[in-house]
Amino acid sequence: MDCRADGRTADKLRPFILDRDVPGAAPGRVLVRAGNTTILCTASIDEEVPPWLAGKGKGWITAEYNMMPGSTAPRKRRDRGVKLDGRTSEIQRLIGRSLRAGVDLSAIGERTITVDCDVMLADGGTRTASITGGFVALVEALRTLEDFAGKPLPLVDTVAAVSVGIVDGKALLDLDYREDVRADVDMNVVMTGQGKFIEVQGSGEEATFDQEQLFALIALAKQGIAELTQKQRETIGLSGLKLR
Amino acid sequence: MDCRADGRTADKLRPFILDRDVPGAAPGRVLVRAGNTTILCTASIDEEVPPWLAGKGKGWITAEYNMMPGSTAPRKRRDRGVKLDGRTSEIQRLIGRSLRAGVDLSAIGERTITVDCDVMLADGGTRTASITGGFVALVEALRTLEDFAGKPLPLVDTVAAVSVGIVDGKALLDLDYREDVRADVDMNVVMTGQGKFIEVQGSGEEATFDQEQLFALIALAKQGIAELTQKQRETIGLSGLKLR
Amino acid sequence: MDCRADGRTADKLRPFILDRDVPGAAPGRVLVRAGNTTILCTASIDEEVPPWLAGKGKGWITAEYNMMPGSTAPRKRRDRGVKLDGRTSEIQRLIGRSLRAGVDLSAIGERTITVDCDVMLADGGTRTASITGGFVALVEALRTLEDFAGKPLPLVDTVAAVSVGIVDGKALLDLDYREDVRADVDMNVVMTGQGKFIEVQGSGEEATFDQEQLFALIALAKQGIAELTQKQRETIGLSGLKLR
Amino acid sequence: MDCRADGRTADKLRPFILDRDVPGAAPGRVLVRAGNTTILCTASIDEEVPPWLAGKGKGWITAEYNMMPGSTAPRKRRDRGVKLDGRTSEIQRLIGRSLRAGVDLSAIGERTITVDCDVMLADGGTRTASITGGFVALVEALRTLEDFAGKPLPLVDTVAAVSVGIVDGKALLDLDYREDVRADVDMNVVMTGQGKFIEVQGSGEEATFDQEQLFALIALAKQGIAELTQKQRETIGLSGLKLR
Amino acid sequence: MDCRADGRTADKLRPFILDRDVPGAAPGRVLVRAGNTTILCTASIDEEVPPWLAGKGKGWITAEYNMMPGSTAPRKRRDRGVKLDGRTSEIQRLIGRSLRAGVDLSAIGERTITVDCDVMLADGGTRTASITGGFVALVEALRTLEDFAGKPLPLVDTVAAVSVGIVDGKALLDLDYREDVRADVDMNVVMTGQGKFIEVQGSGEEATFDQEQLFALIALAKQGIAELTQKQRETIGLSGLKLR
Amino acid sequence: MDCRADGRTADKLRPFILDRDVPGAAPGRVLVRAGNTTILCTASIDEEVPPWLAGKGKGWITAEYNMMPGSTAPRKRRDRGVKLDGRTSEIQRLIGRSLRAGVDLSAIGERTITVDCDVMLADGGTRTASITGGFVALVEALRTLEDFAGKPLPLVDTVAAVSVGIVDGKALLDLDYREDVRADVDMNVVMTGQGKFIEVQGSGEEATFDQEQLFALIALAKQGIAELTQKQRETIGLSGLKLR
């Protein structure tokens, strides 16, 4: 198998780091790095749920995604005062939906946990790294709640994500920015630690793909997510946690 | 195979109608109906491209999606003066991307074709019906251009879409609203007339799905799209057109 | 009397159609056509009144007016996220005020009825056709309320409207777009079925008019509205209704 | 004829003052008072026209209307950052249209004159007083232009306006706020100094009016405007100006 | 000491006038003039406090600052529908903070007093004149409250402000616009009648200043404010009031 | 001298760190920490100036300040789509003005350098730490420009800032959040490395201060800034740079 610009084989992840030693006031904080891509994930807890969920004894998890001004050169403009662009809105809906699939919302009380994903350096795969890192920040935040002191956390399973794509006709795992730009097909896959799918989003921009390619991409993603799950478990020590 | 609330079998589409006899000033106009779901699709041509595409000799296709106030009861508020909500933005990005995959943008000149999908009655599957109907409006609009008088239209292939989902553990084709609300997994699939994938978006809201289910949904979608493609061809008479 | 571009005499309405067979979820739905001008009018009922009217035992009727993107060529931009332009706001205030004059608001309960007028094809006279058609949609919506089952509807009178204007020194009834553009004086008149005025709005843009012209325009409008009232009565069968 | 709360007969204007001694930087400045109603009108000149008028050798006149926070008790909120409400937008469109009818736009060069009407004290009739006072500010501003030094100003005629209405079945001239609130029919009339109509806007809110009432209101307005025209001529000394 | 463009010595205020005879509906109204600079200050009373202060038995004072369209030539655009610019926001926060320092908020009841400062003619020093004039309007408004009939007003002290600056290396009092533009250092000082500081804001735009200059500016401001305090006391007759 | 909650004497800075090893794409990047307060400062270069400065051969420096969502508990809401609040706008204007005073704008070419200050953890003094850290990021960015390779940077002087305040009648240096909340007087001072003032902003919220206190605060700030300047010089190695 030929190697890529950075020497990786087609089925190899970029170096992946989850760093929990980050300054901040939010109860959950993780700096996630996938190659150059660097994202600050913080999870904050609000003792209220959105109005439409009030009084149902259930909690809520939501996410916000943001490219910091220094995350790209030239500088990324802030989205202050302008309407949220479609891409950002789509990404943060995906992150929120994915994280909710990993938590037993009926067991966290009438609270909202907001996971903020602020991209410090963007080099491809920011939405999937946000999910993988955001899940760890979310677990950290849950750990600060007295309700769960000495008890298993209300987790269904771990949640991790990776991007795959077809570049020059070849299926690649974990695309960096240069590969992403050249990809004919781009797919994001979100899975649980036990290998169930949460989300599959494959899309050909001015291109199409056949069923064989679709299945090859899915296989590649499964393998990558298995590795990321392992990193998550090491970081948050879930081995000792009973998943619900 | 048991039948559904409306008596359909799991693999059966709702009655599907493409009506080209619609008042309006836009060059392409189609009323699409899938069961109760009714959408007015119009395609307008602007002799300009967005700034970032100017001077490249290439055209652009974009879409706008809107729920009309009378499309739901209680009434759907207009999104005037408020920021576009995430769902709407995500849907119209999907429609635009899907339609672009069916047209040879380098062959339509420096024009923008905007496909507007205004939902008159919402009963599930509005985004996929918008794609299937919007493609027909787009073709109608292309036909009004003198550039293609007596020549084949600059089409790569036809484009159609359908929703599939898992309800009560069973894979169903073309969900109506009541089914959609109860679905554990919801998937939208966009394909060309020749059976290539343009977009696959499967998502479990507070649920997961395994690989077997994923593949079953894809098979069901392929079959439904083949039928819709047939309807499109009858409506727009593409049999006589040479696809590029 | 010389005839106009479309062969009409000065005092002749365009062909006028009220079509109640329209898909949608709102309880009142009418497609109104005056010549080419085509407008979808829907009336929705909300079991609440605006805050300033709460607790007074009285209902409210309001209207929204919108040009659909395909109603003009070139395409009409949506007013999403931008402030409502003055013309639109003025038109929907006029429609709401006019419709309220035809209904006994103290007899409809603490409800808000919103009449939405979405222009599908614009060829002059959209605001007056919105009033004439919107009144029919409003009546349809009132009919769905159980309060009035087997009782007369809480109507004061029917409400209809027409435009008149002075083109090349001559007073004309029911201007189409080309005539409207050339008009020195433009007047919209709203009246009840029994011949009372609700609204008279005459305006010379960079032009003036004398009293004789004013009175001629009013006479022409009265005659046109009498015909439109007849069409409304045929459509909604008000002959059997006791007006309050 | 019985008198009103303030002792006026039905056909009597409130005390009307045009004061040109007002601090400000705009070339045209007038404080207009109609009874208690007090409005600061300023006219500013910009050496540019709106884009759609550029290059046609013609000028433009536009107006902005604003209620100052201290003009009412309780305080009127500023419309900063919120969308312009329908009433304000409607009023300033009326003022602009009315003023344009008095000036030969093709003779003022490619300039925009903006007439700002800031209400300092609101007691009914603010829109008509804005027109009558705004016309004087406009003339003052035109006088500062060197183009017209020693020449007649490019005026078609003077422009003035007044409100009339039906209160307790009686037609009244120049309503104050308490009368306006009780009026069944409210009409604003704009005329030239030579007795031509520019605008007639009569409206019954939850009420109707017959033709006799309509004609009585128009007669009353004509008489009031003749008096206001006289005041304008005294203030701006148009007697020596040749109207075009 | 050399004199300035308008003949003043460096330590001389511009002619300063406080005029209480101003039309309006707000209970406190003052027209303040400092040289050409002219500002309409009105103070309105609302029988409510902001949500965050509710139930604490304390009142609130806030300010809004606005340049009227005719206050500059070319015309100043209104800030309707656009976000409040930084300068305006900064100024009105300064005015509010300054006025609050002069009033015993715990003695005015749960009321909000809004002081509106609308600049009619801008010639430098508008923010400081707004404070000096706004304080007088505020006192007028307090006087209309029955709570204080026959009792001392709940004032801590009078509040006045002035600008100072360094122009061509020289410290000047009360800069007009031409001086302000040329100033290397610009300082606004707010003080009480008894000589305490409320606010000191000195700033060098692309310039710096040393401690000696800083102290000279402060001395100049103290002297100017003493004179303005005297004018305020004459206008509002505080000599007979017991300050708390 | 008694010590404070954290054991510091009144004239002692919190531990101050400037860390240049930060991921990101912007050419200048510094993490600044003053006690717990932590701010990511990045400086980006755009090869354009704002329109009003174009063609003058001069550059521009501007700043944006933002509290990240995880910087406070409870979570700080993002200011997306809402108008920028007054405090934020005031802070970023102060930062921009301060940084400009340290650079020879006429020597950096027609470029805009934007310094972004994103607060990761807020514990008082964020605006002054943003200035001190932002200046270092700015210098780093200037160093990446080829124009200055092997030449002195176009600096006038270093720029640093600190807060001082009066708490319980005592003047304190470098207030943390708990002290800031209790302060009667709050002052921010910005100075150059050579001891000149750039900005002095002292303010008593519902309190006043006398001249003696003012001078004591200034003395304290001078001393603190001298220490911060020393830290800056160590970090950016300005000892070898010739200041202009």
Side-chain angles (χ1 to χ4, degrees):
Chain A
M1 198 175 270
D2 326 55
C3 60
R4 312 198 228 169
D6 61 358
R8 283 189 287 155
T9 52
D11 63 349
K12 181 111 181 108
L13 292 173
R14 291 178 286 178
F16 187 83
I17 296 165
L18 290 163
D19 180 358
R20 284 165 46 199
D21 179 22
V22 186
R29 300 189 303 277
V30 172
L31 192 78
V32 57
R33 312 191 64 163
N36 290 326
T37 289
T38 309
I39 304 167
L40 175 62
C41 301
T42 56
S44 300
I45 299 175
D46 183 10
E47 298 291 324
E48 264 192 341
V49 285
W52 51 268
L53 200 60
K56 302 197 175 155
K58 215 178 134 178
W60 189 243
I61 295 169
T62 186
E64 295 195 2
Y65 170 92
N66 178 49
M67 305 264 287
M68 295 183 72
S71 67
T72 59
R75 179 177 179 269
K76 181 81 174 64
R77 287 186 58 152
R78 294 178 197 269
D79 53 9
R80 280 173 170 168
V82 299
K83 71 183 184 192
L84 203 55
D85 68 288
R87 178 185 169 271
T88 299
S89 149
E90 206 169 308
I91 291 175
Q92 58 192 28
R93 281 158 56 87
L94 169 65
I95 300 172
R97 219 158 52 220
S98 298
L99 297 178
R100 284 193 293 277
V103 177
D104 180 356
L105 295 176
S106 64
I108 63 170
E110 291 218 345
R111 295 183 172 101
T112 299
I113 306 183
T114 304
V115 176
D116 287 285
C117 303
D118 285 88
V119 179
M120 291 176 65
L121 178 47
D123 187 27
T126 57
R127 80 186 72 186
T128 49
S130 291
I131 292 169
T132 310
F135 183 77
V136 175
L138 171 59
V139 169
E140 294 295 303
L142 286 171
R143 279 212 170 107
T144 65
L145 290 172
E146 286 197 15
D147 313 27
F148 305 118
K151 296 192 203 155
L153 292 176
L155 301 178
V156 174
D157 201 344
T158 54
V159 175
V162 81
S163 80
V164 286
I166 293 179
V167 182
D168 300 336
K170 196 178 302 180
L172 300 183
L173 177 65
D174 192 16
L175 280 57
D176 66 19
Y177 180 71
R178 284 164 308 167
E179 291 170 339
D180 192 51
V181 165
R182 291 170 48 223
D184 291 314
V185 181
D186 183 41
M187 179 174 286
N188 294 294
V189 179
V190 187
M191 296 182 78
T192 65
Q194 291 170 16
K196 298 276 192 146
F197 292 93
I198 294 171
E199 191 95 24
V200 174
Q201 291 196 345
S203 150
E205 173 76 40
E206 303 178 30
T208 59
F209 51 105
D210 61 27
Q211 189 159 304
E212 191 182 352
Q213 288 175 312
L214 173 61
F215 291 178
L217 289 172
I218 286 170
L220 212 47
K222 280 177 80 166
Q223 173 211 314
I225 287 174
E227 282 184 56
L228 295 170
T229 298
Q230 188 54 32
K231 295 270 186 181
Q232 286 180 317
R233 289 181 173 267
E234 287 163 15
T235 306
I236 52 183
L238 280 182
S239 50
L241 289 176
K242 194 180 110 205
L243 293 176
R244 295 186 179 188
Chain B
M1 197 175 269
D2 325 57
C3 61
R4 311 197 228 170
D6 61 358
R8 281 188 289 154
T9 52
D11 64 347
K12 181 109 179 112
L13 290 175
R14 293 178 284 179
F16 186 83
I17 295 165
L18 290 165
D19 180 357
R20 283 165 44 199
D21 179 21
V22 187
R29 302 189 302 277
V30 173
L31 192 78
V32 58
R33 310 191 66 162
N36 291 325
T37 289
T38 310
I39 304 166
L40 175 62
C41 302
T42 55
S44 300
I45 300 174
D46 182 9
E47 299 289 325
E48 263 192 342
V49 285
W52 51 268
L53 200 60
K56 302 196 176 156
K58 216 179 135 178
W60 188 242
I61 295 169
T62 185
E64 295 197 1
Y65 170 93
N66 179 48
M67 305 266 286
M68 294 184 72
S71 67
T72 60
R75 178 176 180 269
K76 181 81 175 64
R77 289 185 57 152
R78 292 178 198 270
D79 52 8
R80 278 174 171 169
V82 300
K83 72 183 182 190
L84 203 55
D85 70 287
R87 177 185 170 273
T88 299
S89 149
E90 205 168 309
I91 291 175
Q92 59 191 26
R93 282 158 56 87
L94 169 65
I95 301 171
R97 220 157 51 218
S98 298
L99 297 178
R100 285 193 292 276
V103 177
D104 180 355
L105 296 176
S106 64
I108 62 170
E110 293 218 343
R111 297 182 171 101
T112 299
I113 305 182
T114 303
V115 177
D116 286 284
C117 302
D118 285 87
V119 180
M120 290 175 66
L121 178 45
D123 186 28
T126 58
R127 80 186 70 186
T128 50
S130 292
I131 291 169
T132 310
F135 182 77
V136 175
L138 171 59
V139 169
E140 293 296 303
L142 286 171
R143 277 211 170 108
T144 65
L145 290 172
E146 287 197 13
D147 313 27
F148 305 118
K151 296 192 205 157
L153 292 176
L155 301 178
V156 175
D157 201 344
T158 55
V159 175
V162 81
S163 80
V164 286
I166 293 178
V167 182
D168 299 336
K170 195 177 304 179
L172 299 182
L173 177 65
D174 193 15
L175 280 57
D176 67 19
Y177 180 71
R178 284 164 308 167
E179 291 170 338
D180 192 51
V181 164
R182 291 169 50 224
D184 291 315
V185 181
D186 184 41
M187 179 173 287
N188 293 294
V189 178
V190 188
M191 296 181 78
T192 64
Q194 292 171 14
K196 299 278 192 141
F197 293 93
I198 293 171
E199 192 94 22
V200 174
Q201 292 197 344
S203 147
E205 172 76 39
E206 303 178 31
T208 60
F209 51 105
D210 61 27
Q211 189 159 305
E212 192 182 351
Q213 290 174 311
L214 172 61
F215 291 178
L217 290 172
I218 286 170
L220 213 47
K222 280 177 80 166
Q223 172 212 315
I225 287 173
E227 282 184 57
L228 296 170
T229 298
Q230 188 54 31
K231 295 269 188 183
Q232 287 180 318
R233 288 182 174 268
E234 285 163 16
T235 307
I236 50 182
L238 281 181
S239 51
L241 288 175
K242 199 183 106 203
L243 294 176
R244 294 184 180 193
Chain C
M1 198 174 270
D2 327 55
C3 61
R4 313 197 229 168
D6 60 359
R8 284 188 287 154
T9 52
D11 63 349
K12 181 110 180 108
L13 290 175
R14 291 178 286 177
F16 186 83
I17 296 165
L18 290 163
D19 179 358
R20 283 164 47 199
D21 179 22
V22 186
R29 300 189 303 277
V30 172
L31 192 77
V32 58
R33 309 191 66 162
N36 290 325
T37 289
T38 309
I39 304 167
L40 174 62
C41 302
T42 56
S44 301
I45 300 175
D46 183 8
E47 298 290 325
E48 264 193 342
V49 286
W52 51 267
L53 199 60
K56 303 197 176 155
K58 214 180 136 178
W60 188 243
I61 295 169
T62 185
E64 295 196 2
Y65 170 93
N66 179 48
M67 305 265 287
M68 293 183 73
S71 67
T72 60
R75 177 176 181 270
K76 180 81 175 63
R77 287 186 59 155
R78 293 177 197 270
D79 53 9
R80 279 173 169 169
V82 298
K83 69 184 185 191
L84 204 54
D85 69 287
R87 178 185 169 273
T88 299
S89 149
E90 205 168 309
I91 292 175
Q92 58 191 27
R93 281 159 57 87
L94 169 64
I95 300 172
R97 220 158 51 220
S98 299
L99 297 179
R100 284 192 294 275
V103 177
D104 180 356
L105 295 177
S106 64
I108 62 169
E110 293 218 345
R111 295 182 174 101
T112 299
I113 305 182
T114 303
V115 177
D116 287 285
C117 303
D118 285 88
V119 180
M120 289 175 66
L121 178 45
D123 187 28
T126 58
R127 80 186 70 188
T128 50
S130 292
I131 291 169
T132 310
F135 183 76
V136 176
L138 172 59
V139 169
E140 293 296 303
L142 287 171
R143 279 211 169 108
T144 66
L145 290 172
E146 288 196 13
D147 313 27
F148 305 118
K151 296 192 204 156
L153 293 176
L155 300 179
V156 174
D157 201 345
T158 55
V159 175
V162 81
S163 80
V164 286
I166 294 178
V167 181
D168 299 336
K170 194 177 305 181
L172 300 183
L173 176 65
D174 192 17
L175 281 57
D176 67 19
Y177 180 71
R178 283 164 308 167
E179 291 170 338
D180 191 51
V181 164
R182 290 170 47 223
D184 291 316
V185 181
D186 183 41
M187 179 173 289
N188 294 295
V189 179
V190 188
M191 297 181 78
T192 65
Q194 291 170 15
K196 299 277 192 142
F197 292 94
I198 295 172
E199 192 95 23
V200 175
Q201 292 197 345
S203 150
E205 173 78 39
E206 303 178 30
T208 60
F209 50 105
D210 61 27
Q211 189 158 304
E212 189 182 353
Q213 289 174 311
L214 173 61
F215 291 177
L217 289 173
I218 286 169
L220 212 47
K222 279 177 79 166
Q223 172 213 314
I225 287 173
E227 282 184 57
L228 296 170
T229 298
Q230 188 54 32
K231 296 267 187 183
Q232 286 181 317
R233 290 181 173 266
E234 286 162 16
T235 307
I236 51 183
L238 280 181
S239 51
L241 288 175
K242 198 182 106 203
L243 292 177
R244 295 185 181 192
Chain D
M1 197 175 270
D2 326 56
C3 60
R4 312 197 228 170
D6 61 358
R8 282 187 289 154
T9 51
D11 64 348
K12 180 108 180 113
L13 290 175
R14 291 178 286 179
F16 186 84
I17 295 164
L18 290 164
D19 180 358
R20 283 165 46 201
D21 179 20
V22 186
R29 299 189 305 275
V30 172
L31 193 77
V32 57
R33 310 192 67 161
N36 289 327
T37 289
T38 310
I39 303 166
L40 174 62
C41 302
T42 56
S44 300
I45 300 174
D46 182 9
E47 299 290 325
E48 263 192 342
V49 284
W52 51 268
L53 200 60
K56 303 196 175 154
K58 214 180 137 178
W60 189 243
I61 295 170
T62 186
E64 296 196 0
Y65 170 93
N66 179 48
M67 305 265 287
M68 293 184 73
S71 67
T72 61
R75 178 177 179 269
K76 180 83 174 64
R77 287 185 58 153
R78 292 178 198 270
D79 54 7
R80 278 173 171 171
V82 299
K83 69 182 184 193
L84 203 55
D85 69 288
R87 178 185 168 271
T88 299
S89 149
E90 207 168 306
I91 292 175
Q92 57 192 28
R93 282 159 56 88
L94 170 64
I95 301 171
R97 219 158 51 221
S98 299
L99 297 178
R100 283 193 294 276
V103 176
D104 180 356
L105 296 176
S106 64
I108 63 170
E110 293 218 345
R111 296 181 173 102
T112 299
I113 305 183
T114 304
V115 176
D116 286 285
C117 303
D118 285 88
V119 180
M120 290 175 66
L121 178 45
D123 187 27
T126 57
R127 79 186 71 187
T128 50
S130 292
I131 292 168
T132 311
F135 183 77
V136 176
L138 172 60
V139 169
E140 293 296 304
L142 286 171
R143 278 209 170 109
T144 65
L145 289 172
E146 288 198 13
D147 313 26
F148 305 118
K151 296 191 204 157
L153 293 176
L155 301 178
V156 175
D157 201 343
T158 55
V159 175
V162 82
S163 80
V164 286
I166 294 179
V167 182
D168 300 335
K170 195 177 302 178
L172 300 182
L173 177 65
D174 193 16
L175 281 58
D176 67 19
Y177 180 72
R178 283 164 309 167
E179 292 171 337
D180 191 50
V181 164
R182 291 172 46 225
D184 291 315
V185 181
D186 184 41
M187 180 174 287
N188 294 294
V189 180
V190 188
M191 296 181 79
T192 65
Q194 292 170 16
K196 298 276 192 145
F197 292 93
I198 295 172
E199 191 95 22
V200 174
Q201 290 197 343
S203 150
E205 172 77 40
E206 304 177 29
T208 60
F209 50 105
D210 60 26
Q211 189 160 304
E212 190 183 352
Q213 290 174 311
L214 173 61
F215 291 178
L217 289 172
I218 287 170
L220 213 48
K222 279 177 78 167
Q223 172 212 312
I225 288 173
E227 282 186 55
L228 296 171
T229 299
Q230 188 53 32
K231 295 269 186 182
Q232 285 181 318
R233 289 181 174 268
E234 286 163 14
T235 307
I236 51 183
L238 280 181
S239 52
L241 289 175
K242 195 180 109 203
L243 293 176
R244 294 187 182 191
Chain E
M1 198 175 271
D2 325 57
C3 60
R4 312 198 230 169
D6 61 359
R8 283 188 287 154
T9 52
D11 63 349
K12 181 106 179 114
L13 290 174
R14 290 179 287 179
F16 186 84
I17 296 165
L18 290 164
D19 180 358
R20 284 165 46 199
D21 179 21
V22 186
R29 299 189 305 277
V30 172
L31 192 77
V32 57
R33 309 192 66 162
N36 290 326
T37 288
T38 309
I39 303 166
L40 174 62
C41 301
T42 56
S44 300
I45 300 176
D46 182 10
E47 297 291 323
E48 264 193 340
V49 285
W52 51 267
L53 200 61
K56 303 197 175 155
K58 214 178 136 177
W60 188 243
I61 295 168
T62 185
E64 294 196 3
Y65 170 93
N66 179 47
M67 305 265 286
M68 294 183 72
S71 67
T72 60
R75 179 177 179 269
K76 181 81 174 63
R77 287 185 59 152
R78 293 178 197 270
D79 53 9
R80 279 172 169 171
V82 298
K83 67 183 188 192
L84 203 56
D85 70 286
R87 178 184 170 272
T88 300
S89 151
E90 205 169 308
I91 291 175
Q92 58 191 28
R93 282 159 56 88
L94 169 65
I95 300 172
R97 221 159 49 219
S98 298
L99 297 178
R100 283 193 293 276
V103 177
D104 180 357
L105 295 176
S106 64
I108 62 171
E110 293 217 346
R111 294 182 174 102
T112 299
I113 305 181
T114 304
V115 177
D116 286 286
C117 303
D118 284 88
V119 180
M120 290 176 64
L121 178 45
D123 187 27
T126 58
R127 79 186 70 188
T128 50
S130 291
I131 292 169
T132 310
F135 183 77
V136 176
L138 172 60
V139 169
E140 294 296 303
L142 287 171
R143 278 210 171 109
T144 65
L145 289 171
E146 287 198 13
D147 313 26
F148 306 118
K151 297 193 203 155
L153 293 175
L155 301 179
V156 176
D157 201 343
T158 54
V159 175
V162 81
S163 80
V164 287
I166 294 178
V167 181
D168 300 335
K170 194 177 302 180
L172 299 183
L173 178 65
D174 193 16
L175 280 58
D176 66 20
Y177 180 71
R178 283 165 308 168
E179 291 170 338
D180 192 50
V181 165
R182 291 170 47 223
D184 292 316
V185 181
D186 183 41
M187 180 173 285
N188 294 293
V189 179
V190 187
M191 296 181 77
T192 65
Q194 291 169 16
K196 299 278 192 142
F197 292 93
I198 295 172
E199 193 93 23
V200 174
Q201 291 197 343
S203 150
E205 173 77 39
E206 303 177 31
T208 60
F209 50 104
D210 61 28
Q211 189 159 304
E212 191 181 352
Q213 290 174 311
L214 172 62
F215 290 178
L217 289 173
I218 286 169
L220 212 47
K222 280 177 79 166
Q223 172 212 314
I225 287 173
E227 282 185 57
L228 295 171
T229 297
Q230 189 52 34
K231 295 269 187 181
Q232 285 180 317
R233 290 181 173 269
E234 286 163 14
T235 306
I236 51 183
L238 279 182
S239 50
L241 288 175
K242 195 181 111 204
L243 294 177
R244 294 187 181 190
Chain F
M1 199 174 271
D2 323 58
C3 60
R4 312 197 230 169
D6 62 357
R8 282 188 288 155
T9 52
D11 63 348
K12 181 108 179 110
L13 290 175
R14 291 178 287 178
F16 186 83
I17 296 166
L18 291 164
D19 179 358
R20 284 164 45 198
D21 179 21
V22 186
R29 301 188 303 275
V30 172
L31 192 78
V32 58
R33 309 190 66 162
N36 290 326
T37 289
T38 310
I39 303 166
L40 175 62
C41 302
T42 56
S44 299
I45 300 174
D46 182 9
E47 298 291 324
E48 264 192 340
V49 285
W52 51 267
L53 200 61
K56 303 197 176 157
K58 213 178 137 177
W60 188 243
I61 294 169
T62 185
E64 295 196 2
Y65 170 93
N66 178 49
M67 305 265 286
M68 293 183 74
S71 67
T72 60
R75 179 176 179 269
K76 181 80 174 64
R77 286 186 59 153
R78 293 179 198 269
D79 53 8
R80 278 173 170 169
V82 299
K83 69 182 185 191
L84 203 55
D85 70 286
R87 176 184 171 272
T88 300
S89 150
E90 205 168 308
I91 292 175
Q92 58 191 28
R93 282 159 55 88
L94 169 64
I95 300 172
R97 221 159 49 221
S98 298
L99 297 179
R100 284 193 292 276
V103 176
D104 180 356
L105 295 176
S106 64
I108 63 170
E110 293 218 345
R111 294 182 174 102
T112 299
I113 304 183
T114 304
V115 176
D116 287 284
C117 303
D118 285 88
V119 179
M120 290 175 66
L121 178 45
D123 187 27
T126 58
R127 79 186 71 187
T128 50
S130 291
I131 292 169
T132 310
F135 183 76
V136 175
L138 172 59
V139 169
E140 293 296 303
L142 287 171
R143 279 208 170 112
T144 66
L145 290 172
E146 286 197 14
D147 312 27
F148 306 118
K151 297 193 203 155
L153 292 176
L155 301 178
V156 174
D157 201 343
T158 55
V159 175
V162 82
S163 80
V164 287
I166 294 179
V167 182
D168 300 335
K170 195 178 302 180
L172 299 183
L173 177 65
D174 192 15
L175 279 58
D176 66 20
Y177 180 70
R178 283 165 308 168
E179 292 170 338
D180 192 49
V181 164
R182 292 170 47 223
D184 292 314
V185 181
D186 183 41
M187 180 173 286
N188 294 294
V189 179
V190 187
M191 297 182 78
T192 64
Q194 291 170 16
K196 298 279 192 140
F197 292 94
I198 294 172
E199 192 94 23
V200 174
Q201 291 197 344
S203 150
E205 173 77 40
E206 303 177 30
T208 60
F209 50 104
D210 61 26
Q211 188 158 306
E212 190 181 352
Q213 289 174 311
L214 172 61
F215 290 178
L217 289 172
I218 287 170
L220 213 47
K222 280 177 79 166
Q223 173 212 315
I225 287 173
E227 282 184 58
L228 295 170
T229 297
Q230 188 53 32
K231 295 268 188 182
Q232 285 181 318
R233 290 180 172 269
E234 286 163 13
T235 306
I236 50 181
L238 280 182
S239 50
L241 288 175
K242 196 180 109 203
L243 293 176
R244 292 183 182 194

